[in-house]
Amino acid sequence: MNNKKINRFKEMIWLAMDDDTILYKSLIPFDLDRYFYDFYESGNIKKEYVLLNQLLKLLGNAIIDESFDIHELIHKNYHFHLDKKGEDNPFDISILSYDDEIILEINELTNGYYLKTNAFIMDNLDKEYYFMSKRKIHVIDPRLNKDLNDLIEINLRLKNNKITQLITEEKGE
C-alpha cells in the first residue's frame, strides 16, 4: 500500500532508529550488536544467536523497505533470552508472527528499556500501528564536556490514517 501517511510514519520510525544509540546502522537495537560481536569474537556463538541476529536485521530492513515481504521469512513465533555471564543487562526478545502482523518486543531487563513495534506489515489503515521505545541515550555536551545521559521515550502511532507522536525526555545525572 502506497500511502503518504504510511511513508511519513516509516520515515519518523527511521529517524528514531537512525540514532546510533537507539538502533545501530546494522539494524540491531540497543547493546545487542555488542553482544553478538562478543559472542563471535569469543567463539561462543550459538546457532540461536545467529538466527536472532539475522531475524533482527530482517525486521529492521522490513521497516524501511516497502517492497520487502517479511511474512515470507518470518512465519512462526520466536522467544529468546540473552544473558551473557558477567553482564548485568540480560534481554528478553520475542518475535510474534500472526496472519496480519509481526510484533517485535525487546526488553532489556535490568534498566527497563524496551523496543516494541508492529510496523512491519502496514496494509490496513483501519489498524493501529506503533513504534515504542524507551532508552537512555548518551549525549555529550561539548561546552560542558559532560555526558548528559538523557532517558528518551518514543511513542509513535498510526491509527485511522493519523500519526501521533510523543517523545519524552528525562535528564539523567
Side-chain angles (χ1 to χ4, degrees):
M1 172 182 287
N2 188 2
N3 180 289
K4 288 181 183 180
K5 294 286 186 190
I6 289 176
N7 291 340
R8 178 67 183 135
F9 186 63
K10 286 182 174 246
E11 182 181 308
M12 292 170 70
I13 290 172
W14 180 244
L15 290 173
M17 290 169 38
D18 197 33
D19 184 333
D20 282 351
T21 60
I22 294 176
L23 196 84
Y24 295 110
K25 299 298 184 216
S26 63
L27 302 172
I28 303 295
F30 304 136
D31 297 327
L32 289 171
D33 208 23
R34 182 179 50 84
Y35 260 68
F36 293 128
Y37 177 79
D38 290 348
F39 285 133
Y40 281 111
E41 284 295 305
S42 68
N44 294 327
I45 193 73
K46 298 177 182 177
K47 63 182 172 181
E48 61 264 20
Y49 296 159
V50 173
L51 173 63
L52 174 59
N53 187 318
Q54 292 306 308
L55 289 171
L56 290 173
K57 287 181 182 180
L58 286 170
L59 288 168
N61 278 312
I63 287 178
I64 59 173
D65 187 356
E66 288 181 41
S67 62
F68 187 78
D69 185 5
I70 192 68
H71 244 159
E72 287 184 19
L73 296 172
I74 299 178
H75 43 75
K76 70 176 200 170
N77 296 338
Y78 296 92
H79 301 281
F80 299 92
H81 178 75
L82 200 58
D83 193 359
K84 192 166 55 170
K85 291 185 180 184
E87 296 287 334
D88 63 352
N89 58 340
F91 291 89
D92 276 339
I93 302 167
S94 294
I95 301 168
L96 307 172
S97 179
Y98 301 102
D99 289 339
D100 63 343
E101 75 177 342
I102 293 177
I103 298 171
L104 171 63
E105 294 183 355
I106 300 173
N107 293 294
E108 187 182 49
L109 302 176
T110 302
N111 298 307
Y113 303 149
Y114 59 83
L115 172 68
K116 299 176 183 185
T117 186
N118 71 342
F120 303 107
I121 304 168
M122 294 193 286
D123 59 359
N124 180 356
L125 286 178
D126 293 327
K127 183 177 180 143
E128 180 176 357
Y129 300 102
Y130 58 87
F131 179 90
M132 300 179 304
S133 176
K134 178 180 179 182
R135 179 72 174 139
K136 181 178 278 190
I137 65 169
H138 301 285
V139 178
I140 303 295
D141 184 331
R143 296 168 295 161
L144 302 174
N145 196 23
K146 183 178 178 189
D147 189 340
L148 300 177
N149 291 329
D150 290 345
L151 183 65
I152 304 290
E153 283 191 60
I154 298 170
N155 186 349
L156 297 173
R157 293 183 184 276
L158 174 62
K159 183 176 182 179
N160 297 328
N161 214 12
K162 182 179 178 186
I163 299 173
T164 59
Q165 174 182 9
L166 175 64
I167 298 177
T168 60
E169 297 181 42
E170 297 175 19
K171 296 290 183 200
E173 302 159 11

